[in-house]
Amino acid sequence: MDYNFNEIEKKWQAYWKAKKTYKAENKSDKPKYYVLDMFPYPSGAGLHVGHPLGYIASDIYARYKRHKGFNVLHPMGYDAYGLPAEQYAIQTGQHPAVTTEKNIARYREQLDKIGFSFDWDREVRTCDPDYYKWTQWTFIQLFNHWYNKNTDKAESIAELVKIFEKEGNRNINASCTETAFFTAEEWNSKTEKQQQEILLNYRISYLSDTMVNWCPQLGTVLANDEVVGGLSVRGGYAVERKSMRQWSLRISAYAERLLQGLENLDWSDSIKEIQKNWIGKSVGAEVKFCLTPVHTKSEETKPHGYTTNTTDWYALRNDARKMRKEPSEAEKILWKSVKDNQLGCKIRRQQVIFNNIADFVCLSKKLIIQIDESISKNENESASVVELNKIGFSVIRFTNKEIIDNIESVIEKIKLKIDTKILSSVNEQGELIIFTTRPDTIFGVSFMVLCPEHEMIAQITTSEQKQAVADYLLWTKNRSERERQSEVNTVTGVFTGAYAINPLTNQEIPIWISDYVLAGYGTGAIMAVPAHDSRDFAFARHFKLPIPQVILPFGEEAEDTANWKESKDSKEGICINSGFITGMNVKDGIKAVIDFLEEKGIGKRMINYRLRDAIFSRQRYWGEPFPVYYKEGMPYMLDETELPLELPAVDKYLPTESGEPPLARAENWHTQEGYPLECNTMPGFAGSSAYYLRYMDAHNEKEIFSKEANTYWQNVDLYIGGAEHATGHLIYARFWNKFLYDLGLCVKDEPFQKLINQGMIQGRSNFVYRIVGTNKFVSSGLKNEYETQSIHVDVNIVDNDILDTEKFRLSLPDYANAEFILENGKYHCDWSVEKMSKSLYNVQNPDDLVVRYGADTLRMYEMFLGPLEQSKPWDTKGIEGVFRFIRKFWKLYHNEENNLCVTDEAASPQELKVLHRTIKKIQDDIERFSFNTAVSSFMISTNELTEMKSHKRDILQPLAILISPYAPHLAEELWQLLGHNESISFAAFPELNEAYLVENTFNYPISFNGKTRFQMEFAADVPIAEIEKTVLAHADAQKWLEGKLPKKVIIVPKKIVNIVI
RNA sequence: GCCCUGGUGGUGGAAUUGGUAGACACGCAGGACUUAAAAUCCUGUGACCAUUGCGGUCGUGCGGGUUCAAGUCCCGCCCGGGGUACCA
């Protein structure tokens, strides 16, 4: 064979490996450039043809930058923790580390065959203890820091404690879970455990109760995308919402910085947009709505401080005193944990409230704690509870057994209740607080809506509506999350009977409850403006509530809203029927209303973010263990010297019988002192959040990375990977990086300066048509003559949409006796573009292509397919063309006998022009990541040089460097044949000399009324007037003018001549 | 629904700033070489009309507009892909 790619590629891959050609040094006089790929999860299926697409692009860029004199960091590693390996382990009992190791070996083999210039000395694997030691270390840092909103950065918890000791928490402006105020004295008098509990509210990694998708049959928590239609994707088991105590990361603290940081990043608009939406910043106002006096009247008649009336007090006080003296065992235990302000507020026992004796009560938080023998379901709806709710008390119940068995969890539940009581949008004066982005529409409010979980519901519901409300709340509670989301268009809700007062109009407005208002956003309560919000509109129509119009879009007349089919969500327009803002435009109206509210103290500017804290626990085996142990139920971090905390051996990779995560199966899973270790493991994004930093100094045993290495490499200059990570990895990594930046560990506050998302590679499927009920297959063109069904056929036995019928017969036993109805002796298949999948028989293996055509051809072909960022079908049809080109390129340097035929003759101006045009084009194309057009221009130049029979060193030597990033093996071989002893990898990129490109003539297209008719050549320096004269005199021009005089002649130098008739 | 993308020959795509639409490649058709095949090379290849030659008309999802000139800019739609979803 003339061009023996097999031998050449093997030779150079071995050379690069032996010489460590692509090893990057952390010190260099050269400027740095950091090119990174999203590292792969090594699945059992091996490398997919989609993977190399991005890797080839980044490799071309990395190699180009080396030629341009940069010190390039281009590492690769493995995102090795993941579900498939764990799933396989559960099924087969094989340790996931074994499968993972095997898959990595296969990936490495495949990667090596494509000729990437990775610095393998820096390889990382997220499941390697030497690597995850630093993931654990970072977790400890997250635990030991809190977010100070005043300085807008993470600061040390130790320093925070010092402030608490000196002045309590009143002056702290933190991003934290709502916490009651305490003084220095109160802090200092708290127990260690109480202090730890409070600190969890501040820590950036913290434990909290979170709603999760719990699957009892699988014994695990599922991610949202693992649940479809309320059932688990795997197994189809029922999934329920359940509250679990889990680790979370306070990413919400960074919401504003994550949003602002996008501004200066060189990322595609679509990814920036996705992240912006994910962060979901809304600017608006919080507004207080007073409740009407009717519903607070009963409380007003009561002297302050009394919790009941005189009659009941005398009737019950002796009972209460007696019960205080003779507490049950459960009461004793609970009292021990709540007395003396231990929960941050005063709790009394056996207190007369209304006409009952409450077991325990916190008067300041209006919380009653009842202890019963058992809890029946209807207890919460009982008459006494409803009465208590009416006067603002909420009731939390426990059984004797719960208290005796697990006081820790009981206290946690009480604590949570106390904390959320403060969060509640009811304040002591009986006001409802809502969040709105459109304060300008406040004159158009015709009702209020509370979420079904709203604290205030029990308090405000009138006795007439009590039953209806209770029914509705029960209904929403039993409705699954899935139903709620899929039935978005169904309007449901109930009236509470209560009214609020619009602070601007003093009108009474009814308060409703509906599950279209979400508990987790804003205050869980809204002011409804039906004329200008589609959801409010639907609700108003359904319940026949008024729809007053208050915004008039520009250029419209006011009209009767009764005729509207939908709301006008007018973001622009003029305020009408709106008191003092009538006549203002929307923007001014918003400002005027907020100013008014702030002045009167009934509202304030407020910003809300949709971004939620990231749940960081997984009830899985195959992940990083947390460096956490528990003492008295409180989490503590291991000492750094004990890292890494290695993943323990377990007998089975399943949850325990009691539903604990797999790590609970491990023997001796506790510290030396005997404290139990955390049984959850970290999620997938833990290991991938800072891997780009670790590459800078991958084997540092003392630090996550050295200051010097980070100062040199800074951050990633070019990051290539899939867009599917937009709201996962790409946002967590930015958060993680900003945190390390706050700690002064890394020098850049953004990790990835430029991001390119390679498009998805789709599959191209082929179909055959079987005549129904037979084993006869009909060619595509004749299928309409029969009743047929289409069947996917393996694309590997179809060439150019022509089926290899023999191979088809052999492919499945069923087809062994297949008969065919052919067209012109051929069986034509149909095709379509679908996702690439085994089940659709359209998977293409890159290995086969490397064997058949070589890595250089594969590399160039993947680039030639089309723009990097666009999704495109994978079709190997065109690879022949690229293969032909590569051999043609080889022949520029070789004669018929395949001997080098490069001469030292001086190059002609035409040859130099081809070379320099190519230099210019290739350089431009690489720099704007247009690799497909670069391959085209290589083809054009090669065609031209072949035509010129050009074999001159002056041309071919620079040309080898130009093609080296694309076809590195070929380039190395040619470089060596040209007499060089060093690798071509660091040869200087050819210098462009524009002088060779100067054209002294230009072939003008001559157009009439914009339509090109013919061409004329002019010297480059001919004056415009002369061109006009010559063109108009031309016979062809005369023909098109038809004797008329041109109205106008437009001549754009070196572009076009246009004659207007 | 909202947001982001994209829509150009039989196919992948090119046209970078408004200036000759379809570069380059695949496929197809015809031809050369060959006993034959592979490989290689040559010619043609958007559609329609005219082909004896010169040619002509239409054409970048659809309908309008701006301009001497629109695939490219503006307005209104249609379709595909991705993201997101009662976020007030």
Side-chain angles (χ1 to χ4, degrees), chain A residues 557-576:
Chain A
E557 294 283 322
E559 50 185 322
D560 189 352
T561 57
N563 302 325
W564 287 11
K565 291 208 168 53
E566 55 185 12
S567 63
K568 291 183 194 283
D569 301 357
S570 322
K571 293 199 171 74
E572 286 185 333
I574 299 293
C575 300
I576 55 169

mmCIF file of all heavy atoms in Angstrom, chain A residues 557-576:
data_model
loop_
_atom_site.group_PDB
_atom_site.id
_atom_site.type_symbol
_atom_site.label_atom_id
_atom_site.label_comp_id
_atom_site.label_asym_id
_atom_site.label_seq_id
_atom_site.Cartn_x
_atom_site.Cartn_y
_atom_site.Cartn_z
ATOM 1 N N GLU A 557 -57.205 49.985 23.257
ATOM 2 C CA GLU A 557 -58.270 50.665 23.994
ATOM 3 C C GLU A 557 -58.671 49.787 25.175
ATOM 4 O O GLU A 557 -58.607 48.560 25.081
ATOM 5 C CB GLU A 557 -59.499 50.832 23.082
ATOM 6 C CG GLU A 557 -59.279 51.758 21.888
ATOM 7 C CD GLU A 557 -59.313 53.223 22.287
ATOM 8 O OE1 GLU A 557 -60.133 53.583 23.145
ATOM 9 O OE2 GLU A 557 -58.491 54.003 21.749
ATOM 10 N N ALA A 558 -59.111 50.419 26.252
ATOM 11 C CA ALA A 558 -59.621 49.629 27.374
ATOM 12 C C ALA A 558 -60.881 48.905 26.918
ATOM 13 O O ALA A 558 -61.648 49.424 26.114
ATOM 14 C CB ALA A 558 -59.953 50.551 28.546
ATOM 15 N N GLU A 559 -61.062 47.685 27.397
ATOM 16 C CA GLU A 559 -62.255 46.945 26.976
ATOM 17 C C GLU A 559 -62.766 46.129 28.157
ATOM 18 O O GLU A 559 -62.091 45.972 29.169
ATOM 19 C CB GLU A 559 -61.932 46.054 25.773
ATOM 20 C CG GLU A 559 -60.689 45.200 25.985
ATOM 21 C CD GLU A 559 -60.311 44.420 24.734
ATOM 22 O OE1 GLU A 559 -61.215 43.951 24.058
ATOM 23 O OE2 GLU A 559 -59.114 44.280 24.465
ATOM 24 N N ASP A 560 -63.965 45.597 27.973
ATOM 25 C CA ASP A 560 -64.576 44.810 29.029
ATOM 26 C C ASP A 560 -63.866 43.463 29.141
ATOM 27 O O ASP A 560 -63.847 42.679 28.196
ATOM 28 C CB ASP A 560 -66.064 44.591 28.688
ATOM 29 C CG ASP A 560 -66.796 43.965 29.860
ATOM 30 O OD1 ASP A 560 -66.120 43.584 30.836
ATOM 31 O OD2 ASP A 560 -68.026 43.877 29.780
ATOM 32 N N THR A 561 -63.298 43.202 30.307
ATOM 33 C CA THR A 561 -62.525 41.965 30.452
ATOM 34 C C THR A 561 -63.418 40.726 30.382
ATOM 35 O O THR A 561 -62.921 39.624 30.215
ATOM 36 C CB THR A 561 -61.747 41.946 31.784
ATOM 37 O OG1 THR A 561 -62.681 42.100 32.849
ATOM 38 C CG2 THR A 561 -60.714 43.039 31.837
ATOM 39 N N ALA A 562 -64.728 40.936 30.499
ATOM 40 C CA ALA A 562 -65.644 39.796 30.392
ATOM 41 C C ALA A 562 -65.518 39.129 29.026
ATOM 42 O O ALA A 562 -65.799 37.947 28.868
ATOM 43 C CB ALA A 562 -67.080 40.259 30.619
ATOM 44 N N ASN A 563 -65.073 39.909 28.019
ATOM 45 C CA ASN A 563 -64.950 39.353 26.674
ATOM 46 C C ASN A 563 -63.583 38.716 26.407
ATOM 47 O O ASN A 563 -63.364 38.146 25.355
ATOM 48 C CB ASN A 563 -65.182 40.459 25.640
ATOM 49 C CG ASN A 563 -66.551 41.095 25.809
ATOM 50 O OD1 ASN A 563 -67.511 40.402 26.167
ATOM 51 N ND2 ASN A 563 -66.638 42.397 25.600
ATOM 52 N N TRP A 564 -62.674 38.872 27.368
ATOM 53 C CA TRP A 564 -61.314 38.348 27.142
ATOM 54 C C TRP A 564 -61.335 36.828 27.153
ATOM 55 O O TRP A 564 -62.035 36.197 27.934
ATOM 56 C CB TRP A 564 -60.359 38.843 28.234
ATOM 57 C CG TRP A 564 -60.000 40.299 28.118
ATOM 58 C CD1 TRP A 564 -60.582 41.234 27.299
ATOM 59 C CD2 TRP A 564 -58.990 40.981 28.852
ATOM 60 N NE1 TRP A 564 -60.002 42.450 27.485
ATOM 61 C CE2 TRP A 564 -59.007 42.330 28.439
ATOM 62 C CE3 TRP A 564 -58.059 40.589 29.818
ATOM 63 C CZ2 TRP A 564 -58.139 43.281 28.951
ATOM 64 C CZ3 TRP A 564 -57.196 41.538 30.344
ATOM 65 C CH2 TRP A 564 -57.234 42.875 29.910
ATOM 66 N N LYS A 565 -60.498 36.281 26.275
ATOM 67 C CA LYS A 565 -60.335 34.825 26.268
ATOM 68 C C LYS A 565 -59.119 34.431 27.098
ATOM 69 O O LYS A 565 -58.979 33.298 27.541
ATOM 70 C CB LYS A 565 -60.185 34.313 24.839
ATOM 71 C CG LYS A 565 -61.473 34.451 24.054
ATOM 72 C CD LYS A 565 -61.557 33.393 22.987
ATOM 73 C CE LYS A 565 -62.941 33.311 22.386
ATOM 74 N NZ LYS A 565 -63.440 34.622 21.892
ATOM 75 N N GLU A 566 -58.207 35.372 27.239
ATOM 76 C CA GLU A 566 -57.037 35.110 28.090
ATOM 77 C C GLU A 566 -56.549 36.424 28.678
ATOM 78 O O GLU A 566 -56.960 37.501 28.230
ATOM 79 C CB GLU A 566 -55.932 34.432 27.276
ATOM 80 C CG GLU A 566 -55.537 35.212 26.047
ATOM 81 C CD GLU A 566 -54.524 34.484 25.176
ATOM 82 O OE1 GLU A 566 -54.300 33.279 25.400
ATOM 83 O OE2 GLU A 566 -53.957 35.114 24.281
ATOM 84 N N SER A 567 -55.656 36.293 29.662
ATOM 85 C CA SER A 567 -55.150 37.503 30.299
ATOM 86 C C SER A 567 -54.184 38.198 29.358
ATOM 87 O O SER A 567 -53.674 37.598 28.424
ATOM 88 C CB SER A 567 -54.411 37.132 31.576
ATOM 89 O OG SER A 567 -53.294 36.326 31.252
ATOM 90 N N LYS A 568 -53.966 39.492 29.609
ATOM 91 C CA LYS A 568 -52.930 40.212 28.869
ATOM 92 C C LYS A 568 -51.760 40.388 29.825
ATOM 93 O O LYS A 568 -51.821 41.208 30.741
ATOM 94 C CB LYS A 568 -53.445 41.574 28.422
ATOM 95 C CG LYS A 568 -54.526 41.500 27.349
ATOM 96 C CD LYS A 568 -54.922 42.910 26.927
ATOM 97 C CE LYS A 568 -56.213 42.937 26.118
ATOM 98 N NZ LYS A 568 -56.049 42.498 24.721
ATOM 99 N N ASP A 569 -50.732 39.564 29.627
ATOM 100 C CA ASP A 569 -49.586 39.632 30.542
ATOM 101 C C ASP A 569 -48.699 40.813 30.143
ATOM 102 O O ASP A 569 -47.550 40.645 29.771
ATOM 103 C CB ASP A 569 -48.801 38.316 30.512
ATOM 104 C CG ASP A 569 -49.684 37.136 30.903
ATOM 105 O OD1 ASP A 569 -50.852 37.372 31.243
ATOM 106 O OD2 ASP A 569 -49.210 36.002 30.856
ATOM 107 N N SER A 570 -49.281 41.994 30.239
ATOM 108 C CA SER A 570 -48.661 43.190 29.666
ATOM 109 C C SER A 570 -47.403 43.613 30.417
ATOM 110 O O SER A 570 -47.481 44.130 31.518
ATOM 111 C CB SER A 570 -49.669 44.338 29.671
ATOM 112 O OG SER A 570 -50.952 43.841 29.364
ATOM 113 N N LYS A 571 -46.270 43.379 29.764
ATOM 114 C CA LYS A 571 -45.010 43.806 30.380
ATOM 115 C C LYS A 571 -44.735 45.273 30.063
ATOM 116 O O LYS A 571 -43.862 45.895 30.641
ATOM 117 C CB LYS A 571 -43.862 42.937 29.865
ATOM 118 C CG LYS A 571 -43.978 41.495 30.347
ATOM 119 C CD LYS A 571 -42.662 40.765 30.244
ATOM 120 C CE LYS A 571 -42.716 39.408 30.916
ATOM 121 N NZ LYS A 571 -43.467 38.403 30.155
ATOM 122 N N GLU A 572 -45.480 45.792 29.085
ATOM 123 C CA GLU A 572 -45.337 47.203 28.742
ATOM 124 C C GLU A 572 -46.733 47.784 28.585
ATOM 125 O O GLU A 572 -47.673 47.077 28.222
ATOM 126 C CB GLU A 572 -44.594 47.347 27.410
ATOM 127 C CG GLU A 572 -43.114 47.067 27.529
ATOM 128 C CD GLU A 572 -42.389 47.342 26.221
ATOM 129 O OE1 GLU A 572 -43.012 47.240 25.154
ATOM 130 O OE2 GLU A 572 -41.200 47.663 26.292
ATOM 131 N N GLY A 573 -46.851 49.047 28.867
ATOM 132 C CA GLY A 573 -48.149 49.689 28.691
ATOM 133 C C GLY A 573 -48.330 50.812 29.697
ATOM 134 O O GLY A 573 -47.383 51.241 30.354
ATOM 135 N N ILE A 574 -49.577 51.270 29.779
ATOM 136 C CA ILE A 574 -49.905 52.398 30.644
ATOM 137 C C ILE A 574 -50.821 51.908 31.763
ATOM 138 O O ILE A 574 -51.731 51.116 31.535
ATOM 139 C CB ILE A 574 -50.649 53.491 29.817
ATOM 140 C CG1 ILE A 574 -49.769 54.008 28.673
ATOM 141 C CG2 ILE A 574 -51.114 54.642 30.712
ATOM 142 C CD1 ILE A 574 -48.548 54.786 29.105
ATOM 143 N N CYS A 575 -50.568 52.378 32.983
ATOM 144 C CA CYS A 575 -51.408 52.003 34.117
ATOM 145 C C CYS A 575 -52.748 52.744 34.025
ATOM 146 O O CYS A 575 -52.772 53.965 33.804
ATOM 147 C CB CYS A 575 -50.723 52.370 35.428
ATOM 148 S SG CYS A 575 -49.139 51.556 35.641
ATOM 149 N N ILE A 576 -53.837 52.003 34.173
ATOM 150 C CA ILE A 576 -55.167 52.638 34.212
ATOM 151 C C ILE A 576 -55.897 52.172 35.472
ATOM 152 O O ILE A 576 -55.501 51.156 36.065
ATOM 153 C CB ILE A 576 -56.008 52.287 32.953
ATOM 154 C CG1 ILE A 576 -56.120 50.760 32.788
ATOM 155 C CG2 ILE A 576 -55.418 52.913 31.710
ATOM 156 C CD1 ILE A 576 -57.133 50.318 31.761
#
